[in-house]
Amino acid sequence: MDKLKLIPNAEPNNALIIGNTLHLALETNLDDARKFYYAQYNIINDKHIEEFMKIEIVVPKVKQILEQLSIYSHEFLISTSRFKGIVDLIVKNDDGTVDVFDFKYSNNVKNYLESAQLHIYKYFLEQLGFRVRKLGFIFVPKWQGRIKNTEDIYHFRKRLVEEVNKLQIQIAEVKYDPDKVIDFMNDIVNVVECNKFEKNTTKLCDWCDYQNYCLLEDDLMILPSNTRRERKIDENPDMWIYADSYVGKSTFVDNLGDLLFLNTDGNTDNTTSPVLRIADIVTTEGRITKRKLAWEVFLEVIAELEKKNNDFKRVCIDLVEDLYEHCRVYTYNKLDIQHEQDAGFGKGWDMVKMEFLKNIKRLKNLGYQIIYISKETSTEITLKNGSKYSTYKPNIQEKVANVLAGTVDLTVRAYVEKDKRYIQLAKDENTFGGGRFNFLVNRCELNMEEFKKALVDAQKQVNKDKPKEEPKRSRKAKEEPKKENQDTVTDESSEEPTQKEVTKEEQPQQQEEDPKEVTEDAPKEEDKPKTRRRRKKKTEESAEEINEDEIPF
């Protein structure tokens, strides 16, 4: 795990980057700190500017406190055979003792006061000869306000400056506890001697870059064995079905067993499978109204499905376009915007798409059969000659539809024709759809048994046709007689290709027309290769074309 290189967290309030920036500002100056902070990101936006504005306000407050102290060292390195650590600040006293402090850019004072960090520093500093008198944390408070819908950026930043100026630096002393050092040493011994590492899930996991590999058991790095997999007939492909209202798409999917519906529109009267509503949840506590967004409900459902404490085999999202809109609202609220364009060129759309697809793939990777249901929308197309025809596609943005179709094995349209309901299986240029199956029929009735029969037949036909290679051999056999009836004539003395085909029927005519080709010294035609005879002809013809009077020497 320690050899893995991961993409760093690029959030403006990244705790590691902010912490290093704060230390650099205290040890040097704000200009160097600003250059360092901006250099950690590929591109700077308004949030980066605002984050550093906070640092510009709190750093002078901390420096005002440090000016009253007799500083022995910033960033003092403890390096022994048993321990390595960096002490943020060591202050020397008149009696030869020192005080040890650690900076914390946090509001979580209580948890840090219970930490063993400073106790360990004191123990190992005294091993190096220091006499430590006091231990303490210097807490630099955070302000995490967000821009309001009624504010522009100017008024928000004005409020930011006012609120951060109100914050006060807090110095908290910690009483030395040798038991914390003993517990630390015991933990180290246990780690060294341990050969089986059980997961220890705590709040600190949210700070770990390897959280997905550990908690979610992501096995992306494990290579499979180099063996062919047996091809199996898939009767439960991930699919996307769309149709006009009242065609029966939800009822069709409801025929599957062990199915969980994630419903967004409340139309569940004609289905009997278990259902969860994906909608905003509004609760009232006194005069306070709280709202849990529908997308947050969906994320909680995914988290519950990840536990695998259920017997569902399939999950159907009905309707997937509503779920996408819930994702948009969630992202708007997170970014504090009202439309994708408010987040800057392309950024808003990209953030919505990333949030949506990331969690759709998270659901898909759980191993359930995933089914999307959508309503359809039709568009009238005018051809060059003026004629018109209709095209059909799911009721979702085209860019999203193209990406979403790539997450399933099959996309089909259901429709009604003369009071009968059908599923269109064949790919049609005026219908959005397709997949990895080559169906033998263009359509089937909107019936689960008929659909599965067409699905199985399509896969059986692929397996049946795969080993046939006879057409290749028959084609070669047909070409061989042509070679027997043709002689290839090549002029090796010419730089340009002079390949000619002369049949046996044409040879006597050429000999009668060109009697100069046959000489007394020439061998019989049957003993001499055609190419040599033709080369001699070319040589004689070239000699006949030369005029001795034109030779310059």
Side-chain angles (χ1 to χ4, degrees):
M1 296 286 286
D2 60 333
K3 297 294 188 284
L4 285 177
K5 292 183 179 180
L6 301 178
I7 299 174
N9 176 13
E11 291 296 324
N13 60 349
N14 181 298
L16 180 60
I17 297 175
I18 291 290
N20 290 334
T21 303
L22 183 63
H23 279 283
L24 186 60
L26 293 173
E27 296 169 22
T28 58
N29 54 68
L30 285 170
D31 288 337
D32 291 345
R34 182 187 296 104
K35 292 176 183 178
F36 169 80
Y37 176 70
Y38 290 165
Q40 307 308 307
Y41 300 95
N42 294 325
I43 191 168
I44 303 301
N45 59 33
D46 290 336
K47 292 188 180 296
H48 295 93
I49 303 297
E50 292 153 6
E51 203 63 44
F52 196 80
M53 287 174 61
K54 302 174 189 177
I55 294 177
E56 288 178 318
I57 298 173
V58 298
V59 164
K61 294 184 177 183
V62 179
K63 282 193 171 184
Q64 188 176 3
I65 295 174
L66 298 182
E67 288 173 356
Q68 304 172 17
L69 305 175
S70 178
I71 297 176
Y72 172 80
S73 176
H74 278 288
E75 304 271 335
F76 181 83
L77 174 63
I78 303 175
S79 181
T80 70
S81 59
R82 302 174 64 196
F83 179 80
K84 283 189 176 182
I86 298 177
V87 183
D88 287 349
L89 180 67
I90 298 179
V91 177
K92 60 183 179 181
N93 302 312
D94 295 337
D95 59 358
T97 61
V98 296
D99 297 338
V100 176
F101 295 95
D102 193 82
F103 296 108
K104 296 298 179 187
Y105 187 45
S106 173
N107 299 327
N108 195 1
V109 176
K110 182 178 179 181
N111 285 350
Y112 279 115
L113 292 178
E114 297 175 357
S115 167
Q117 180 181 5
L118 291 176
H119 307 271
I120 298 167
Y121 286 170
K122 172 181 168 64
Y123 175 82
F124 284 102
L125 282 172
E126 291 181 342
Q127 299 293 317
L128 297 176
F130 289 90
R131 290 186 296 144
V132 180
R133 186 183 68 174
K134 289 183 179 180
L135 304 174
F137 288 105
I138 300 177
F139 288 101
V140 181
K142 281 185 177 181
W143 185 77
Q144 298 174 329
R146 295 164 57 180
I147 189 169
K148 299 177 181 178
N149 293 334
T150 57
E151 287 180 319
D152 57 18
I153 192 168
Y154 170 78
H155 288 93
F156 168 68
R157 289 182 176 178
K158 182 179 178 181
R159 180 164 63 92
L160 181 152
V161 172
E162 293 173 352
E163 295 296 330
V164 176
N165 275 320
K166 296 177 183 178
L167 302 178
Q168 298 297 321
I169 308 301
Q170 180 180 353
I171 300 178
E173 185 178 351
V174 177
K175 297 296 183 182
Y176 177 66
D177 184 357
D179 290 338
K180 290 185 179 293
V181 180
I182 295 173
D183 292 340
F184 171 76
M185 295 296 188
N186 289 334
D187 290 341
I188 296 300
V189 172
N190 292 335
V191 169
V192 173
E193 294 180 349
C194 182
N195 53 19
K196 184 178 181 181
F197 300 92
E198 300 290 342
K199 293 179 183 177
N200 182 26
T201 306
T202 67
K203 293 180 179 179
L204 297 177
C205 293
D206 294 333
W207 295 78
C208 180
D209 290 334
Y210 304 97
Q211 185 180 31
N212 288 345
Y213 295 98
C214 177
L215 298 184
L216 302 182
E217 298 182 353
D218 200 336
D219 293 337
L220 294 178
M221 296 188 306
I222 299 178
L223 298 177
S225 58
N226 187 15
T227 56
R228 288 279 184 179
R229 295 181 295 111
E230 181 183 357
R231 185 165 187 170
K232 297 180 180 180
I233 293 179
D234 186 3
E235 296 188 23
N236 302 295
D238 293 342
M239 63 181 295
W240 187 3
I241 181 171
Y242 67 96
D244 203 355
S245 300
Y246 312 117
V247 172
K249 46 192 181 294
S250 299
T251 306
F252 168 74
V253 175
D254 189 48
N255 289 314
L256 295 169
D258 303 318
L259 174 69
L260 172 64
F261 266 111
L262 302 182
N263 181 269
T264 62
D265 62 357
N267 295 328
T268 59
D269 294 339
N270 294 326
T271 58
T272 58
S273 296
V275 61
L276 269 175
R277 280 296 313 277
I278 305 298
D280 291 358
I281 298 177
V282 180
T283 56
T284 303
E285 297 178 4
R287 296 182 178 181
I288 300 175
T289 300
K290 296 183 179 180
R291 178 182 296 272
K292 180 186 291 186
L293 297 178
W295 183 253
E296 294 176 305
V297 177
F298 176 67
L299 296 181
E300 290 179 355
V301 173
I302 295 179
E304 191 65 30
L305 289 172
E306 286 175 336
K307 298 177 182 178
K308 298 295 180 71
N309 295 329
N310 62 79
D311 54 0
F312 293 110
K313 296 180 181 178
R314 300 168 181 86
V315 177
C316 177
I317 301 175
D318 181 14
L319 303 157
V320 72
E321 59 264 35
D322 288 349
L323 186 65
Y324 180 74
E325 291 303 315
H326 291 322
C327 180
R328 291 182 69 191
V329 173
Y330 170 83
T331 307
Y332 293 170
N333 186 68
K334 185 177 179 181
L335 298 177
D336 204 5
I337 59 177
Q338 296 181 347
H339 193 270
E340 286 95 337
Q341 293 178 348
D342 298 340
F345 181 75
K347 179 181 176 181
W349 150 253
D350 192 55
M351 292 288 287
V352 174
K353 183 186 71 172
M354 287 177 60
E355 175 69 22
F356 182 71
L357 293 178
K358 176 182 70 175
N359 289 287
I360 287 294
K361 291 178 180 178
R362 180 181 164 197
L363 174 62
K364 182 176 171 62
N365 289 337
L366 296 180
Y368 301 97
Q369 181 188 4
I370 306 300
I371 303 170
Y372 309 141
I373 294 179
S374 289
K375 292 183 179 179
E376 78 171 20
T377 179
S378 61
T379 305
E380 195 173 68
I381 302 296
T382 303
L383 299 179
K384 186 177 181 180
N385 59 7
S387 60
K388 299 181 179 181
Y389 70 92
S390 297
T391 61
Y392 305 95
K393 60 183 179 180
N395 185 29
I396 196 169
Q397 292 182 18
E398 186 174 355
K399 289 183 179 179
V400 181
N402 291 332
V403 178
L404 203 58
T407 65
V408 295
D409 302 312
L410 180 64
T411 302
V412 294
R413 172 181 177 252
Y415 61 97
V416 177
E417 183 180 288
K418 297 181 180 179
D419 297 332
K420 285 190 176 182
R421 292 171 168 80
Y422 298 96
I423 298 178
Q424 182 171 329
L425 302 175
K427 184 72 177 71
D428 190 353
E429 62 180 7
N430 67 331
T431 303
F432 182 93
R436 61 182 182 86
F437 304 106
N438 294 321
F439 289 96
L440 304 181
V441 293
N442 293 334
R443 68 180 186 180
C444 71
E445 291 187 13
L446 188 61
N447 176 284
M448 189 58 68
E449 292 182 1
E450 292 291 327
F451 171 72
K452 285 199 171 186
K453 181 179 181 302
L455 188 65
V456 171
D457 290 345
Q459 296 175 77
K460 284 182 177 179
Q461 184 65 29
V462 171
N463 294 335
K464 185 187 300 183
D465 294 342
K466 187 176 180 180
K468 292 185 178 181
E469 296 182 356
E470 293 181 359
K472 293 183 179 180
R473 293 193 294 271
S474 62
R475 185 169 63 249
K476 290 181 180 179
K478 291 180 180 179
E479 291 175 353
E480 288 177 0
K482 295 182 180 180
K483 293 182 179 180
E484 294 176 359
N485 296 330
Q486 295 179 355
D487 293 323
T488 302
V489 182
T490 306
D491 183 4
E492 298 177 356
S493 63
S494 175
E495 294 181 356
E496 298 181 359
T498 57
Q499 188 174 7
K500 298 181 180 179
E501 293 182 355
V502 184
T503 62
K504 293 183 178 180
E505 296 176 356
E506 295 173 346
Q507 288 177 6
Q509 296 178 2
Q510 290 180 352
Q511 291 176 0
E512 292 176 3
E513 294 172 358
D514 300 323
K516 297 179 182 180
E517 293 184 64
V518 183
T519 62
E520 295 180 358
D521 297 333
K524 295 181 180 180
E525 184 181 353
E526 56 192 22
D527 297 333
K528 194 171 185 178
K530 299 282 190 304
T531 56
R532 294 293 301 275
R533 180 176 63 80
R534 297 302 296 168
R535 185 167 64 252
K536 183 176 180 181
K537 174 186 174 184
K538 286 289 183 181
T539 304
E540 291 174 358
E541 288 177 353
S542 299
E544 290 175 1
E545 293 174 357
I546 296 174
N547 188 346
E548 295 181 357
D549 296 335
E550 297 176 357
I551 299 176
F553 52 89

